[in-house]
Coordinates of all heavy atoms in Angstrom, one line a residue:
L1 N 0.8 -1.2 0.0 CA 0.0 0.0 0.0 C 0.9 1.3 0.0 O 0.3 2.3 -0.3 CB -0.9 0.0 1.2 CG -1.9 -1.1 1.3 CD1 -2.7 -1.1 2.6 CD2 -2.9 -1.1 0.1
L2 N 2.1 1.1 0.4 CA 3.0 2.3 0.5 C 3.7 2.6 -0.9 O 4.0 3.7 -1.1 CB 4.0 2.1 1.5 CG 3.5 1.9 3.0 CD1 4.6 1.6 3.9 CD2 2.7 3.2 3.4
L3 N 3.8 1.6 -1.7 CA 4.5 1.8 -3.0 C 3.6 1.4 -4.1 O 2.8 0.5 -4.0 CB 5.8 0.9 -3.0 CG 6.9 1.2 -2.0 CD1 7.9 0.1 -2.1 CD2 7.5 2.5 -2.4
P4 N 3.8 2.0 -5.3 CA 3.1 1.5 -6.5 C 3.5 0.1 -6.8 O 4.6 -0.4 -6.4 CB 3.5 2.4 -7.6 CG 4.1 3.6 -6.9 CD 4.6 3.2 -5.6
G5 N 2.6 -0.7 -7.4 CA 2.7 -2.1 -7.7 C 4.1 -2.5 -8.1 O 4.7 -3.4 -7.5
P6 N 4.6 -2.0 -9.2 CA 5.9 -2.5 -9.7 C 7.1 -2.2 -8.7 O 7.9 -3.1 -8.6 CB 6.2 -1.6 -11.0 CG 4.8 -1.2 -11.4 CD 4.0 -1.0 -10.2
Y7 N 7.1 -1.1 -8.0 CA 8.1 -0.9 -7.0 C 8.0 -1.9 -5.9 O 9.0 -2.3 -5.3 CB 8.1 0.6 -6.5 CG 8.3 1.6 -7.6 CD1 7.3 2.4 -8.1 CD2 9.6 1.7 -8.1 CE1 7.6 3.3 -9.1 CE2 9.9 2.6 -9.1 CZ 8.9 3.4 -9.6 OH 9.2 4.3 -10.6
A8 N 6.8 -2.1 -5.5 CA 6.6 -3.1 -4.4 C 7.1 -4.5 -4.8 O 7.7 -5.2 -4.0 CB 5.1 -3.2 -4.0
L9 N 6.8 -4.9 -6.0 CA 7.3 -6.2 -6.5 C 8.8 -6.2 -6.5 O 9.4 -7.3 -6.1 CB 6.7 -6.5 -7.9 CG 5.3 -6.8 -7.9 CD1 4.8 -6.9 -9.4 CD2 4.9 -8.0 -7.2
V10 N 9.5 -5.2 -7.0 CA 10.9 -5.1 -7.0 C 11.5 -5.2 -5.6 O 12.4 -5.9 -5.3 CB 11.5 -3.9 -7.7 CG1 12.9 -3.7 -7.5 CG2 11.1 -4.0 -9.2
F11 N 10.9 -4.5 -4.6 CA 11.3 -4.5 -3.3 C 11.2 -5.9 -2.6 O 12.1 -6.4 -2.0 CB 10.5 -3.5 -2.4 CG 10.9 -3.5 -1.0 CD1 12.0 -2.9 -0.5 CD2 10.0 -4.1 -0.1 CE1 12.3 -2.9 0.8 CE2 10.3 -4.1 1.3 CZ 11.5 -3.5 1.7
V12 N 10.0 -6.5 -2.8 CA 9.8 -7.8 -2.2 C 10.7 -8.8 -2.9 O 11.3 -9.7 -2.2 CB 8.3 -8.2 -2.4 CG1 8.1 -9.7 -2.0 CG2 7.4 -7.3 -1.5
G13 N 10.9 -8.7 -4.2 CA 11.9 -9.6 -4.9 C 13.3 -9.5 -4.3 O 14.0 -10.5 -4.1
G14 N 13.7 -8.2 -4.1 CA 15.0 -8.0 -3.5 C 15.2 -8.6 -2.1 O 16.2 -9.2 -1.8
V15 N 14.2 -8.4 -1.3 CA 14.2 -9.0 0.0 C 14.3 -10.5 0.0 O 15.0 -11.1 0.7 CB 13.0 -8.5 0.9 CG1 12.8 -9.3 2.2 CG2 13.0 -7.0 1.2
Y16 N 13.5 -11.1 -0.9 CA 13.5 -12.5 -1.1 C 14.8 -13.0 -1.5 O 15.4 -14.0 -1.0 CB 12.4 -13.0 -2.1 CG 12.4 -14.4 -2.3 CD1 11.9 -15.3 -1.3 CD2 12.8 -15.0 -3.5 CE1 11.8 -16.7 -1.5 CE2 12.8 -16.3 -3.7 CZ 12.3 -17.2 -2.7 OH 12.3 -18.5 -2.9
L17 N 15.4 -12.4 -2.6 CA 16.7 -12.8 -3.0 C 17.8 -12.7 -2.0 O 18.7 -13.5 -1.8 CB 17.1 -12.0 -4.3 CG 16.4 -12.4 -5.6 CD1 16.8 -11.5 -6.7 CD2 16.7 -13.9 -5.9
G18 N 17.7 -11.6 -1.2 CA 18.7 -11.4 -0.1 C 18.6 -12.5 1.0 O 19.6 -13.1 1.5
Y19 N 17.3 -13.0 1.2 CA 17.1 -14.0 2.2 C 17.6 -15.4 1.6 O 18.2 -16.2 2.4 CB 15.7 -14.2 2.6 CG 15.4 -15.3 3.6 CD1 15.9 -15.1 4.9 CD2 14.9 -16.5 3.3 CE1 15.7 -16.1 5.9 CE2 14.7 -17.5 4.2 CZ 15.1 -17.3 5.5 OH 15.0 -18.3 6.4
V20 N 17.4 -15.6 0.4 CA 17.9 -16.8 -0.3 C 19.4 -16.9 -0.2 O 20.0 -17.9 0.1 CB 17.4 -17.0 -1.7 CG1 18.1 -18.0 -2.5 CG2 15.9 -17.2 -1.7
H21 N 20.1 -15.7 -0.5 CA 21.5 -15.6 -0.4 C 22.0 -16.0 1.0 O 22.9 -16.8 1.2 CB 22.0 -14.2 -0.8 CG 23.5 -14.0 -0.6 ND1 23.9 -13.3 0.5 CD2 24.5 -14.4 -1.3 CE1 25.3 -13.3 0.5 NE2 25.6 -13.9 -0.6
Y22 N 21.4 -15.4 2.0 CA 21.7 -15.7 3.4 C 21.5 -17.1 3.7 O 22.4 -17.8 4.4 CB 20.8 -14.8 4.3 CG 20.8 -15.3 5.8 CD1 21.8 -14.9 6.6 CD2 19.8 -16.1 6.2 CE1 21.8 -15.3 8.0 CE2 19.8 -16.6 7.5 CZ 20.8 -16.2 8.4 OH 20.7 -16.6 9.7
S23 N 20.4 -17.7 3.3 CA 20.1 -19.1 3.6 C 21.1 -20.1 3.0 O 21.6 -21.0 3.6 CB 18.7 -19.5 3.2 OG 17.8 -18.8 3.9
V24 N 21.5 -19.8 1.8 CA 22.5 -20.7 1.1 C 23.8 -20.5 1.7 O 24.5 -21.5 2.0 CB 22.5 -20.3 -0.4 CG1 23.7 -20.9 -1.1 CG2 21.2 -20.7 -1.1
L25 N 24.2 -19.3 2.0 CA 25.5 -19.1 2.7 C 25.6 -19.8 4.0 O 26.6 -20.4 4.4 CB 25.8 -17.6 2.8 CG 27.2 -17.3 3.2 CD1 28.3 -17.9 2.3 CD2 27.4 -15.8 3.2
H26 N 24.5 -19.7 4.8 CA 24.4 -20.3 6.1 C 24.5 -21.8 6.0 O 25.3 -22.5 6.7 CB 23.2 -19.9 6.8 CG 23.1 -20.2 8.3 ND1 22.0 -20.5 9.0 CD2 24.1 -20.3 9.2 CE1 22.3 -20.7 10.2 NE2 23.6 -20.6 10.4
H27 N 23.9 -22.4 5.0 CA 23.9 -23.8 4.8 C 25.3 -24.2 4.4 O 25.9 -25.2 4.9 CB 22.9 -24.2 3.7 CG 23.1 -25.7 3.3 ND1 22.6 -26.7 4.1 CD2 23.6 -26.3 2.2 CE1 22.9 -27.9 3.5 NE2 23.5 -27.6 2.4
V28 N 26.0 -23.5 3.5 CA 27.3 -23.8 3.1 C 28.3 -23.8 4.3 O 29.2 -24.7 4.4 CB 27.8 -22.8 2.0 CG1 29.3 -22.9 1.8 CG2 27.1 -23.1 0.7
Q29 N 28.1 -22.8 5.2 CA 29.0 -22.8 6.3 C 28.9 -24.0 7.3 O 29.8 -24.4 7.9 CB 28.7 -21.5 7.1 CG 29.2 -20.2 6.4 CD 28.8 -19.0 7.1 OE1 28.0 -19.0 8.0 NE2 29.3 -17.9 6.6
H30 N 27.7 -24.5 7.3 CA 27.5 -25.7 8.2 C 27.7 -27.0 7.5 O 28.2 -28.0 8.2 CB 26.0 -25.7 8.8 CG 25.9 -24.7 9.9 ND1 26.2 -25.0 11.2 CD2 25.4 -23.5 9.9 CE1 25.9 -24.0 12.0 NE2 25.4 -23.0 11.2
A31 N 27.4 -27.1 6.3 CA 27.4 -28.4 5.6 C 28.7 -28.7 4.8 O 28.9 -29.9 4.5 CB 26.2 -28.5 4.6
T32 N 29.5 -27.7 4.6 CA 30.8 -28.0 3.9 C 32.0 -27.4 4.7 O 31.8 -26.7 5.6 CB 30.8 -27.3 2.5 OG1 30.8 -25.9 2.7 CG2 29.5 -27.7 1.7
A33 N 33.2 -27.7 4.2 CA 34.4 -27.2 4.8 C 34.5 -25.7 4.5 O 35.2 -25.0 5.1 CB 35.6 -28.0 4.4
A34 N 33.9 -25.3 3.3 CA 33.9 -23.9 2.9 C 35.4 -23.3 3.0 O 35.6 -22.3 3.4 CB 33.0 -23.1 3.6
A35 N 36.3 -24.1 2.5 CA 37.7 -23.7 2.6 C 38.2 -23.0 1.4 O 39.4 -23.1 1.1 CB 38.6 -25.0 2.9
F36 N 37.4 -22.2 0.8 CA 37.9 -21.4 -0.4 C 37.5 -20.0 -0.3 O 36.4 -19.6 0.2 CB 37.3 -22.0 -1.7 CG 35.8 -22.2 -1.7 CD1 35.0 -21.1 -2.1 CD2 35.2 -23.3 -1.2 CE1 33.6 -21.2 -2.1 CE2 33.8 -23.4 -1.2 CZ 33.0 -22.4 -1.6
G37 N 38.4 -19.1 -0.7 CA 38.2 -17.7 -0.8 C 37.6 -17.1 0.5 O 38.0 -17.5 1.6
P38 N 36.7 -16.1 0.4 CA 36.2 -15.4 1.6 C 35.4 -16.2 2.5 O 35.2 -15.9 3.6 CB 35.4 -14.2 1.0 CG 35.0 -14.7 -0.4 CD 36.1 -15.6 -0.8
Y39 N 34.9 -17.4 2.0 CA 34.0 -18.2 2.8 C 34.8 -18.8 4.0 O 34.2 -19.1 5.0 CB 33.4 -19.3 2.0 CG 32.5 -18.8 0.9 CD1 32.8 -18.9 -0.4 CD2 31.3 -18.2 1.2 CE1 32.0 -18.4 -1.4 CE2 30.5 -17.7 0.3 CZ 30.8 -17.7 -1.1 OH 30.0 -17.2 -2.0
R40 N 36.1 -19.0 3.8 CA 36.9 -19.6 4.9 C 36.8 -18.7 6.2 O 36.6 -19.1 7.3 CB 38.3 -19.8 4.5 CG 39.2 -20.4 5.6 CD 40.7 -20.5 5.1 NE 40.7 -21.1 3.8 CZ 41.6 -20.8 2.9 NH1 42.6 -19.9 3.2 NH2 41.7 -21.3 1.7
K41 N 37.0 -17.4 5.9 CA 37.0 -16.4 7.0 C 35.6 -16.3 7.6 O 35.4 -16.3 8.9 CB 37.5 -15.1 6.5 CG 37.7 -14.1 7.6 CD 38.3 -12.8 7.1 CE 38.6 -11.8 8.2 NZ 39.2 -10.6 7.8
L42 N 34.6 -16.3 6.8 CA 33.2 -16.2 7.3 C 32.8 -17.4 8.1 O 32.1 -17.3 9.1 CB 32.2 -16.0 6.1 CG 32.1 -14.6 5.5 CD1 31.2 -14.6 4.3 CD2 31.5 -13.6 6.6
R43 N 33.3 -18.6 7.6 CA 32.9 -19.8 8.3 C 33.6 -19.8 9.7 O 32.9 -20.1 10.7 CB 33.4 -21.0 7.5 CG 33.0 -22.3 8.2 CD 33.3 -23.5 7.3 NE 32.6 -24.7 7.8 CZ 33.1 -25.5 8.7 NH1 34.3 -25.3 9.2 NH2 32.4 -26.6 9.1
R44 N 34.8 -19.4 9.8 CA 35.5 -19.4 11.1 C 34.7 -18.4 12.0 O 34.5 -18.6 13.2 CB 36.9 -18.9 11.0 CG 37.9 -20.0 10.7 CD 39.3 -19.6 11.0 NE 39.6 -18.3 10.6 CZ 40.3 -18.0 9.4 NH1 40.6 -18.9 8.6 NH2 40.5 -16.7 9.2
H45 N 34.4 -17.2 11.4 CA 33.6 -16.2 12.2 C 32.3 -16.8 12.7 O 32.0 -16.6 13.9 CB 33.4 -15.0 11.3 CG 32.5 -14.0 12.0 ND1 33.0 -13.1 12.9 CD2 31.2 -13.7 11.8 CE1 32.0 -12.3 13.3 NE2 30.9 -12.6 12.7
H46 N 31.5 -17.4 11.9 CA 30.2 -18.0 12.3 C 30.4 -19.1 13.3 O 29.6 -19.3 14.2 CB 29.4 -18.4 11.1 CG 28.1 -18.9 11.5 ND1 27.1 -18.1 12.0 CD2 27.5 -20.1 11.4 CE1 26.0 -18.8 12.3 NE2 26.3 -20.0 11.9
M47 N 31.4 -20.0 13.0 CA 31.5 -21.1 13.9 C 32.0 -20.7 15.3 O 31.7 -21.4 16.3 CB 32.5 -22.2 13.3 CG 31.9 -22.9 12.1 SD 30.3 -23.4 12.4 CE 30.1 -24.7 11.3
T48 N 32.6 -19.6 15.5 CA 32.9 -19.0 16.8 C 31.6 -18.8 17.5 O 31.6 -18.9 18.7 CB 33.8 -17.8 16.7 OG1 35.0 -18.1 16.0 CG2 34.1 -17.1 18.0
H49 N 30.6 -18.4 16.8 CA 29.3 -18.1 17.4 C 28.8 -19.4 18.1 O 28.1 -19.3 19.2 CB 28.3 -17.7 16.4 CG 26.9 -17.7 16.9 ND1 26.4 -16.7 17.8 CD2 25.8 -18.5 16.6 CE1 25.1 -17.0 18.0 NE2 24.7 -18.0 17.3
H50 N 29.1 -20.5 17.6 CA 28.6 -21.8 18.2 C 29.4 -22.2 19.4 O 28.9 -23.0 20.2 CB 28.5 -22.9 17.1 CG 27.5 -22.7 16.1 ND1 26.2 -22.8 16.3 CD2 27.6 -22.2 14.8 CE1 25.5 -22.5 15.3 NE2 26.3 -22.2 14.3
R51 N 30.6 -21.6 19.6 CA 31.4 -21.9 20.8 C 31.1 -20.8 21.8 O 31.1 -21.1 23.0 CB 32.9 -21.9 20.4 CG 33.3 -23.1 19.6 CD 34.8 -23.2 19.5 NE 35.5 -22.0 19.2 CZ 35.7 -21.6 17.9 NH1 35.2 -22.3 16.9 NH2 36.4 -20.5 17.7
V52 N 31.0 -19.5 21.4 CA 30.7 -18.4 22.3 C 29.4 -17.8 21.9 O 29.2 -17.0 21.0 CB 31.8 -17.3 22.1 CG1 31.6 -16.2 23.1 CG2 33.2 -17.9 22.3
V53 N 28.3 -18.3 22.6 CA 27.0 -18.1 22.1 C 26.6 -16.6 22.0 O 25.8 -16.2 21.2 CB 25.9 -18.8 23.1 CG1 24.5 -18.5 22.7 CG2 26.2 -20.3 23.1
Q54 N 27.2 -15.7 22.8 CA 26.8 -14.3 22.8 C 27.8 -13.5 21.9 O 28.0 -12.3 22.1 CB 26.8 -13.7 24.2 CG 25.8 -14.3 25.1 CD 24.4 -14.1 24.6 OE1 24.0 -13.0 24.1 NE2 23.5 -15.1 24.6
A55 N 28.3 -14.1 20.9 CA 29.3 -13.4 20.0 C 29.1 -13.9 18.6 O 28.5 -15.0 18.3 CB 30.7 -13.7 20.4
N56 N 29.5 -13.1 17.6 CA 29.6 -13.4 16.2 C 28.3 -13.9 15.6 O 28.2 -15.0 15.2 CB 30.7 -14.4 15.9 CG 32.1 -13.8 16.2 OD1 32.2 -12.7 16.7 ND2 33.1 -14.5 15.9
F57 N 27.3 -13.1 15.7 CA 26.0 -13.4 15.2 C 25.9 -13.4 13.6 O 25.1 -14.0 13.0 CB 24.9 -12.5 15.7 CG 24.7 -12.7 17.2 CD1 25.3 -11.8 18.1 CD2 24.0 -13.7 17.7 CE1 25.2 -11.9 19.4 CE2 23.8 -13.8 19.1 CZ 24.4 -12.9 20.0
G58 N 26.8 -12.6 13.0 CA 26.8 -12.5 11.6 C 27.1 -13.7 10.8 O 28.0 -14.5 11.1
V59 N 26.3 -14.0 9.8 CA 26.5 -15.2 8.9 C 27.1 -14.7 7.6 O 28.0 -15.4 7.1 CB 25.2 -15.9 8.6 CG1 25.3 -16.9 7.6 CG2 24.6 -16.5 9.9
T60 N 26.8 -13.6 7.1 CA 27.3 -13.1 5.8 C 28.3 -12.0 5.9 O 29.0 -11.7 5.0 CB 26.1 -12.6 4.9 OG1 25.4 -11.6 5.6 CG2 25.2 -13.7 4.6
T61 N 28.4 -11.4 7.1 CA 29.4 -10.3 7.4 C 29.7 -10.2 8.9 O 28.8 -10.5 9.7 CB 28.9 -9.0 6.8 OG1 29.9 -8.0 7.0 CG2 27.6 -8.6 7.4
A62 N 30.8 -9.7 9.2 CA 31.2 -9.4 10.6 C 30.9 -7.9 10.9 O 31.1 -7.5 12.1 CB 32.6 -9.8 10.9
F63 N 30.5 -7.2 10.0 CA 30.3 -5.7 10.1 C 29.4 -5.4 11.3 O 29.8 -4.6 12.2 CB 29.7 -5.1 8.8 CG 29.4 -3.6 9.0 CD1 30.4 -2.7 8.9 CD2 28.1 -3.2 9.2 CE1 30.2 -1.3 9.1 CE2 27.8 -1.8 9.3 CZ 28.9 -0.9 9.3
W64 N 28.2 -5.9 11.4 CA 27.3 -5.6 12.5 C 27.8 -6.1 13.8 O 27.5 -5.5 14.9 CB 25.9 -6.1 12.2 CG 25.3 -5.3 11.0 CD1 25.1 -5.8 9.8 CD2 25.0 -3.9 11.0 NE1 24.6 -4.8 9.0 CE2 24.5 -3.6 9.7 CE3 25.0 -2.9 11.9 CZ2 24.1 -2.3 9.3 CZ3 24.6 -1.6 11.6 CH2 24.2 -1.4 10.3
D65 N 28.5 -7.2 13.9 CA 29.1 -7.6 15.1 C 30.1 -6.6 15.7 O 30.2 -6.4 16.9 CB 29.8 -9.0 15.0 CG 28.8 -10.1 14.8 OD1 27.8 -10.1 15.6 OD2 29.0 -10.9 13.9
R66 N 30.9 -6.0 14.8 CA 31.8 -5.0 15.2 C 31.1 -3.7 15.6 O 31.4 -3.1 16.6 CB 32.8 -4.6 14.0 CG 33.7 -5.8 13.7 CD 34.6 -5.4 12.5 NE 35.4 -6.6 12.1 CZ 36.6 -6.9 12.6 NH1 37.1 -6.2 13.5 NH2 37.2 -8.0 12.1
V67 N 30.0 -3.3 14.9 CA 29.2 -2.1 15.3 C 28.6 -2.3 16.7 O 28.7 -1.4 17.5 CB 28.1 -1.8 14.2 CG1 27.2 -0.8 14.7 CG2 28.8 -1.4 12.9
F68 N 28.0 -3.5 16.9 CA 27.3 -3.6 18.2 C 28.1 -4.3 19.3 O 27.6 -4.6 20.4 CB 26.0 -4.5 18.0 CG 25.0 -3.8 17.1 CD1 24.7 -4.2 15.9 CD2 24.4 -2.6 17.6 CE1 23.7 -3.5 15.1 CE2 23.5 -1.9 16.9 CZ 23.1 -2.4 15.6
G69 N 29.4 -4.5 19.0 CA 30.3 -5.0 20.1 C 30.2 -6.5 20.4 O 30.7 -6.9 21.4
S70 N 29.6 -7.2 19.5 CA 29.5 -8.7 19.8 C 30.6 -9.5 19.0 O 30.6 -10.7 19.0 CB 28.1 -9.2 19.4 OG 27.9 -9.0 18.0
Y71 N 31.5 -8.8 18.4 CA 32.6 -9.4 17.6 C 33.6 -10.1 18.6 O 34.0 -9.5 19.5 CB 33.3 -8.4 16.7 CG 34.5 -9.1 16.0 CD1 34.2 -9.8 14.8 CD2 35.8 -8.9 16.4 CE1 35.3 -10.4 14.1 CE2 36.8 -9.4 15.7 CZ 36.6 -10.2 14.6 OH 37.6 -10.8 13.9
R72 N 34.0 -11.3 18.3 CA 35.1 -12.0 19.0 C 36.0 -12.6 17.9 O 35.5 -13.2 16.9 CB 34.6 -13.2 19.8 CG 33.6 -12.8 20.9 CD 34.4 -11.9 22.0 NE 33.5 -11.5 23.1 CZ 32.7 -10.4 23.0 NH1 32.6 -9.7 22.0 NH2 31.9 -10.2 24.1
A73 N 37.3 -12.4 18.0 CA 38.2 -13.0 17.1 C 38.1 -14.5 16.9 O 37.8 -15.2 17.9 CB 39.6 -12.6 17.5
S74 N 38.1 -15.0 15.7 CA 38.0 -16.4 15.5 C 39.3 -17.2 15.6 O 40.3 -16.7 15.3 CB 37.3 -16.8 14.2 OG 37.0 -15.7 13.4

């Protein structure tokens, strides 16, 4: 209701694609060794979250963990 039809569709599609990207990356971090390129660092960052429950909430980036002070070195 806030946006004209085509803009609303583009917005919803963008949100959906962002969520699909997040879901796939989260699955890759858990299901594979992800030992290539930037995924290696992201996987270490996220797996630290499973050891230190109140840290490293980011799955696709560590940026917000640094902003909100929940970052812990992996």
Side-chain angles (χ1 to χ4, degrees):
L1 298 172
L2 299 174
L3 295 171
Y7 295 108
L9 289 174
V10 169
F11 176 77
V12 170
V15 169
Y16 179 74
L17 286 176
Y19 182 72
V20 167
H21 173 258
Y22 164 83
S23 296
V24 167
L25 188 55
H26 194 210
H27 174 74
V28 165
Q29 289 174 348
H30 281 278
T32 69
F36 53 91
Y39 296 111
R40 181 181 313 146
K41 188 174 181 179
L42 281 173
R43 183 173 195 269
R44 273 197 322 260
H45 174 79
H46 181 67
M47 290 314 205
T48 299
H49 168 72
H50 291 287
R51 290 192 313 274
V52 182
V53 178
Q54 295 301 318
N56 294 8
F57 296 97
V59 171
T60 57
T61 181
F63 175 78
W64 292 110
D65 287 314
R66 292 177 189 273
V67 169
F68 292 116
S70 60
Y71 177 80
R72 299 293 180 273
S74 0

